[in-house]
Amino acid sequence: MLRAGLAALAWRGRAPAAAALQQQAARCLAAAAGGETAAGGAQPPREQLRYDLCIVGAGPAGLTAAIRFKQLCAEGEKDLSVCVLEKGSEVGAHILSGNVFEPTALEELYPGWRAKQEAGEAPFSELPLRTGVSADRFYMLTRRGAWRLPVPSPMKGRGKNYVASLSELTRWLAARAEEAGVDVFPGTAGREVLHDWHNAVVGVATGDKGRARDGTPKPGFAPGVDVLAKLTLFAEGARGSLTQGLLSHYGLVEAVGACPQTYALGIKEVWEVPEAAARPGLVVHTVGWPLDAGTYGGGWLYHMDERRVSLGLVVGLDYSDPGLNPYEEFQQFKRHPLIAATLEGGRCLQYGARTLNEGGVQSIPKLVFPGGALIGCAAGFLNVPKIRGTHTAMKSGALAGEEAFRAIVLAAEQGKKGPLVLDNYAARLEASWVHAELERGRNVRPGFRRPDHDALRLARDCPARAYAKPDGVTTFDLPTSLYRSGTNHEHDQPCHLVLRNPGLPAVVNLPHYGGPETRYCPAGVYEYAPDALSGRPALRINAQNCLHCKACSIKDPRQNIVWNVPEGGGGPNYTIIAQATASRSLVPARPAGASFARRAGARAQARRQPVGAVAPLARSQQVARTSHVVCVAAQEAPAQQETATTWYALVANAEFFCNDVQNEPLAEQLRERVRYFQEQGRPTDFYLVPNPAWLDARFPAEAKQVRRPCMALVSTDKQWVTFMKLRLDRVMKLELPADMAPADITAPGEALPEFKKPEKWTAPYAMYAPKWWEKFYAGA
C-alpha cells in the first residue's frame, strides 16, 4: 500500500519528492524484513556513521574544503567532524600525474607557503611544487611541420605557475587533511545519495563489497555504510555518477537556465626522457594536426622534474565523425617530429584518460540544494582558455568549506532543525576571482552547442579512417597502454557499466554509426562479438578494463550507457612514485561481529609499510608455454633466499584476462610486456590469482587465505611485490593438476610459440610453486 501511494504521488508530478520517500520506504521495509536478501538469505545489516560534514571525492577541491573546514574549527574552537570518501584505491590513484598548477588558491589556503618551503619548514618542505614554469611555447602543427605562434595571454605562466604531479600534490593535501583531524577513506565508493522525508540530502551510501556478478553475496561479503551528515559536498570531478543524479533530481541545470555541458576527452602519458631532452619547466601547447579543422582540441607537453614529461591530447567530444578514434589520434600526435624529438630514447611510465568539463561559465548549474552543494569540476569550473582548473576547484572547495562551517555553527547556536542550505556559497563564488576568470573566457568554448551525443553523423556520410600500426617504441597498442594505467577491477562483481536497452547498440550504434563505442573508449571496454545463441553481433562490455574516464556515458548517441561506481578501490592506479600513504577503507575485510562504527571512529589506522627492493635477476628470463597457461620464469640472485626460483602464470583466457585478448594473439602481447620490462631493467615476473569461483571449488582451504583475488597482470616492482605476495603465499602450495605434462613446456631459451586460441575458452587451470617449476624445468 505504501509503495502504491508513492507511485501515485510520482505520477501526479512530484517525482523528486516521491523518489526520496520511496528511498526511505525501501530502507524501512528492508529493515523490517530483517535484512534479508531477495534470495531469502540473511546479510549483515548496514552500519551508519554520522559526521557534521561529508565530502565525496578526495581531489583538490574536496580536500581543500575539508582542510578549510577544520582550519575554521581550530580558529573557532569547535569540535566538528568531517570525512572524505575516495573511490580510488588510495588518494591520488585516479589523478594522473602532470599538470600546470596555478598556486592562487593554495596561497589563500596556506599563506606564505613559498617562504616556508624555501626555509625547509615542514610540512611545506615536502610540497611537490619544485619546478616553476620557465618558458611557454605555442605551436600550430601540420603533418610534418610546426609554426610557432605568440602564446595566448591566459596560457602564460612563466614565473608564477608550476609544472607538477597533481597526483603527488593531492597526496600532500590528504596528509595535511588527516593531520587536521579529517577522516579520509580511500577505496570507498559513494554509490547512492541519501534523502530524508523533506527531500534534502542527508549523506551517501557507500557500495557493498563482496557481491558476485549476479549480485548475490559471496563469502566475506561486507555491506556498505550509510554515511550521514548535516551537509554533503560533492567533489567527484567531471561527470560524477552521484552528481548526475543530483542534477536530474533537483533540476539544477534548468533552475538557472544553464546551457548543456560539453566535454572533452584528455588522453595522457608520462614519460621519462634522456637528460639531454629534459627541460624542466618548459610548457608547450599545440593546436592543429592530427585533428582536422572540424574537431576541437589540442595537445600539450609539460617538462616536470626528474626527467619526467607529461604529454597528451584533448579531443572535444562534440566531434561529428563516428570513425574518429581519440586514442589513435594521440598515437599520431606522438609521431610528430616536434613531439617525437623529446620522446626519443625515453620510456613511457604511465597512461591514462579522463573527461574534462568544457562548457565554461554558461554551463555551470545551480550549485546548492537542501543539504549539500557541488564543488570543483563536478560543477564545471575548468578555465578552458587556460586549460587549467585545479586552482578554481580548490577555491570553490575553500568557499564551500567556509560556508559549511558557518551554516553548521549557526544552526547549532540557533537550535535550528531541518535541512541546511548553503545560500551564500553561490553568491560568494560569483563575487570571487573564480567567476571573473571564467567570465573572461566565456567565448573560447561556448556552452550553447548541442549536447555531445547529438553531434555524430551517420557512418555512411563520413570517409573511412585508417591509422598506422604502433611501432612499440613511441606508439603502442591499446592493451600495452592499458597495462601501464594499472587499472584493475574485481572480475566477479556486478558490472558497473549498464545498458538501459541491451539490444539497442546492435540495431542502432553498429549499423548506423559503425559502433562508435569501440573507438571513443580509450580502454577497449566495448567490442562487438557474435551472440552465443543467435550468432548476431552483440555489444560485449569488458568492464574490468575501465579507466573511469566517463566518455561512454557522454558520447553514446542514444545515451544508453549508464556509468555506476564499481567496488571501491577498483579502477586505474595513477602512481608515479612508490611511497607509502595512509589507507583506510570503509568496507574492509573484517571478522564476524566486529563493529565497523567503533573501528572507524577511532581515527587511528595502521599505515602501509614501505616495500623493500626486489632482488635482481641472476640470469635472463626463460619463456615457457603450455596448452592453456603462458608463463614467464625468472631466478632471483641471492643464494641465501629460501626460494631460489620464482615464477608466476598468466592464464590465456580472454574471459579472465583484464586486457581482452580476443582481438590479437596473446603471444605478441606477452612479448611486448617482456620487452617493456627488460628496457626498464625491472624483473619480468608476473603474478596471477585464478578465478575465485574455481579456486573456491578446488582448494577451499587455501582460497580462504587469498585476499580479494585479482585478474590483473602485475609486475614485481617495489610498489606491488608485497601486496601481491600476501595473496600468493598460500596459493603457491597448490599441487600441480594431473592434466599438466612436462611435454607441454617449451625447452629453455626457445622462442615463444605462436599462441592459438582454443575453440572454447575454459577456466584457469593452475598456479604453481617454484619446486614444480624446477622439476619440469629439469625434465624439459
Side-chain angles (χ1 to χ4, degrees):
M1 183 180 298
L2 176 60
R3 285 174 177 155
L6 294 174
L9 180 62
W11 183 80
R12 292 190 180 102
R14 299 185 61 187
L21 293 174
Q22 286 172 334
Q23 183 187 71
Q24 292 291 331
R27 290 180 177 273
C28 291
L29 291 171
E36 293 189 353
T37 64
Q43 66 179 23
R46 296 179 66 90
E47 295 183 88
Q48 292 186 345
L49 289 177
R50 295 186 179 274
Y51 285 89
D52 293 298
L53 176 64
C54 174
I55 301 172
V56 183
L63 292 171
T64 300
I67 291 171
R68 185 60 185 142
F69 183 86
K70 293 302 288 187
Q71 285 178 341
L72 294 175
C73 289
E75 294 172 6
E77 298 182 350
K78 301 291 184 180
D79 185 17
L80 301 178
S81 59
V82 55
C83 72
V84 180
L85 310 181
E86 168 57 35
K87 65 182 176 67
S89 59
E90 60 179 348
V91 175
H94 289 182
I95 299 180
L96 186 57
S97 297
N99 89 319
V100 175
F101 179 72
E102 187 170 326
T104 310
L106 182 65
E107 180 66 33
E108 296 178 357
L109 186 65
Y110 292 112
W113 66 268
R114 279 193 184 92
K116 296 175 183 178
Q117 184 188 50
E118 293 173 357
E121 180 180 333
F124 300 98
S125 58
E126 303 169 359
L127 184 62
L129 297 179
R130 301 176 289 268
T131 307
V133 174
S134 59
D136 296 286
R137 299 287 186 270
F138 186 59
Y139 292 93
M140 165 69 78
L141 301 185
T142 61
R143 180 174 294 274
R144 302 298 300 174
W147 297 83
R148 184 173 171 180
L149 304 176
V151 179
S153 179
M155 292 184 177
K156 294 179 179 178
R158 180 180 178 183
K160 56 183 180 181
N161 295 339
Y162 293 83
V163 182
S165 163
L166 190 57
S167 183
E168 293 179 30
L169 178 60
T170 305
R171 292 187 186 91
W172 185 88
L173 288 172
R176 306 290 77 74
E178 290 192 317
E179 289 173 358
V182 177
D183 287 342
V184 181
F185 296 112
T188 307
R191 190 167 185 84
E192 178 187 5
V193 179
L194 301 178
H195 299 269
D196 65 7
W197 301 103
H198 304 286
N199 195 29
V201 173
V202 293
V204 296
T206 68
D208 299 337
K209 286 192 176 182
R211 288 194 180 276
R213 178 173 284 271
D214 60 2
T216 59
K218 297 185 294 186
F221 168 79
V225 177
D226 291 345
V227 183
L228 306 179
K230 298 174 182 176
L231 283 169
T232 306
L233 303 180
F234 293 86
E236 297 178 285
R239 196 74 178 190
S241 55
L242 298 184
T243 301
Q244 290 302 115
L246 291 168
L247 293 177
S248 174
H249 185 83
Y250 289 110
L252 300 179
V253 175
E254 297 79 5
V256 293
C259 297
Q261 184 63 260
T262 187
Y263 299 88
L265 176 63
I267 301 178
K268 180 186 292 188
E269 287 179 349
V270 178
W271 282 63
E272 184 180 74
V273 300
E275 191 70 39
R279 297 187 58 187
L282 175 63
V283 172
V284 177
H285 290 103
T286 71
V287 293
W289 193 88
L291 302 179
D292 56 51
T295 303
Y296 182 89
W300 78 85
L301 190 72
Y302 301 155
H303 287 251
M304 298 187 285
D305 59 353
E306 299 177 355
R307 297 188 292 115
R308 294 179 299 176
V309 171
S310 166
L311 72 152
L313 183 72
V314 172
V315 180
L317 286 178
D318 57 353
Y319 65 82
S320 60
D321 185 352
L324 186 145
N325 187 320
Y327 176 82
E328 293 294 346
E329 295 292 329
F330 174 54
Q331 302 307 308
Q332 295 281 76
F333 173 71
K334 291 189 291 180
R335 289 188 174 95
H336 193 278
L338 180 70
I339 307 302
T342 300
L343 304 182
E344 184 177 0
R347 61 191 179 104
C348 182
L349 302 176
Q350 208 163 73
Y351 164 81
R354 188 68 168 92
T355 51
L356 314 171
N357 290 326
E358 290 201 334
V361 70
Q362 299 98 322
S363 298
I364 296 177
K366 183 179 179 180
L367 300 175
V368 298
F369 41 83
L374 305 179
I375 64 176
C377 288
F381 292 128
L382 177 75
N383 187 316
V384 179
K386 283 187 175 183
I387 323 178
R388 292 192 287 275
T390 306
H391 63 300
T392 53
M394 291 178 65
K395 178 62 175 178
S396 70
L399 292 176
E402 292 174 1
E403 290 304 313
F405 174 80
R406 293 189 178 94
I408 293 173
V409 170
L410 186 62
E413 292 175 349
Q414 296 179 350
K416 182 181 177 181
K417 303 294 183 181
L420 303 180
V421 182
L422 302 181
D423 292 318
N424 293 332
Y425 166 56
R428 291 191 61 193
L429 195 62
E430 188 170 352
S432 71
W433 52 263
V434 172
H435 187 272
E437 189 175 294
L438 298 180
E439 183 70 20
R440 286 194 296 269
R442 65 188 181 278
N443 294 325
V444 174
R445 184 83 160 101
F448 48 76
R449 302 187 66 170
R450 59 183 177 177
D452 297 331
H453 67 274
D454 282 343
L456 282 181
R457 293 182 291 165
L458 297 179
R460 66 169 182 260
D461 298 331
C462 302
R465 290 176 178 258
Y467 294 102
K469 292 184 178 180
D471 57 21
V473 179
T474 303
T475 59
F476 309 98
D477 60 18
L478 186 54
T480 300
S481 294
L482 188 61
Y483 173 67
R484 293 187 176 120
S485 72
T487 192
N488 175 49
H489 296 82
E490 170 67 40
H491 177 79
D492 190 18
Q493 66 169 300
C495 182
H496 68 279
L497 299 166
V498 180
L499 299 178
R500 290 189 172 97
N501 184 344
L504 194 62
V507 298
V508 176
N509 291 17
L510 184 59
H512 297 296
Y513 301 100
E517 54 273 86
T518 63
R519 289 180 287 277
Y520 61 60
C521 174
V525 169
Y526 302 96
E527 66 173 337
Y528 285 90
D531 183 75
L533 298 177
S534 67
R536 298 175 181 175
L539 185 64
R540 185 169 68 177
I541 301 177
N542 305 306
Q544 65 272 19
N545 290 2
C546 184
L547 290 175
H548 297 203
C549 74
K550 318 291 180 64
C552 56
S553 67
I554 299 168
K555 192 59 177 174
D556 182 70
R558 291 294 183 268
Q559 294 293 274
N560 190 41
I561 299 175
V562 179
W563 196 98
N564 299 309
V565 291
E567 275 192 6
N573 185 29
Y574 300 142
T575 307
I576 286 293
I577 54 174
Q579 69 179 43
T581 57
S583 176
R584 291 180 288 178
S585 173
L586 277 178
V587 193
R590 56 178 180 174
S595 171
F596 169 70
R598 292 195 299 270
R599 294 195 312 276
R603 300 185 182 180
Q605 301 283 345
R607 291 181 176 269
R608 293 181 188 164
Q609 296 300 318
V611 178
V614 177
L617 297 181
R619 60 174 177 170
S620 60
Q621 45 276 4
Q622 306 288 336
V623 179
R625 173 188 174 272
T626 73
S627 58
H628 296 286
V629 181
V630 177
C631 323
V632 175
Q635 184 170 355
E636 295 181 348
Q640 56 268 45
Q641 295 250 350
E642 292 184 7
T643 303
T645 305
T646 58
W647 78 279
Y648 310 92
L650 165 63
V651 177
N653 184 325
E655 183 179 359
F656 299 115
F657 182 33
C658 67
N659 298 337
D660 181 26
V661 299
Q662 291 275 4
N663 298 329
E664 62 177 298
L666 178 62
E668 181 55 36
Q669 294 187 25
L670 184 60
R671 289 193 199 99
E672 172 59 31
R673 279 153 183 76
V674 172
R675 286 196 296 268
Y676 168 67
F677 280 95
Q678 286 175 336
E679 292 169 0
Q680 289 189 319
R682 292 160 60 183
T684 55
D685 302 355
F686 297 93
Y687 298 87
L688 178 83
V689 176
N691 177 12
W694 173 85
L695 191 63
D696 290 340
R698 187 156 185 170
F699 302 99
E702 289 85 350
K704 294 178 180 178
Q705 305 296 330
V706 181
R707 231 179 30 165
R708 202 167 68 86
C710 153
M711 299 301 141
L713 176 65
V714 185
S715 67
T716 58
D717 58 13
K718 295 181 181 179
Q719 186 181 350
W720 286 97
V721 60
T722 297
F723 175 65
M724 294 303 294
K725 281 189 176 178
L726 287 175
R727 302 178 180 180
L728 291 176
D729 284 342
R730 294 286 182 173
V731 181
M732 292 178 72
K733 295 181 180 180
L734 303 182
E735 296 181 356
L736 188 70
D739 54 3
M740 200 66 185
D744 290 332
I745 301 181
T746 306
E750 183 176 338
L752 183 70
E754 183 69 17
F755 177 80
K756 295 181 180 179
K757 186 179 70 175
E759 293 182 3
K760 183 178 180 181
W761 292 105
T762 55
Y765 274 79
M767 295 206 58
Y768 307 86
K771 61 180 181 180
W772 288 107
W773 167 252
E774 292 172 351
K775 174 180 177 181
F776 288 110
Y777 179 85

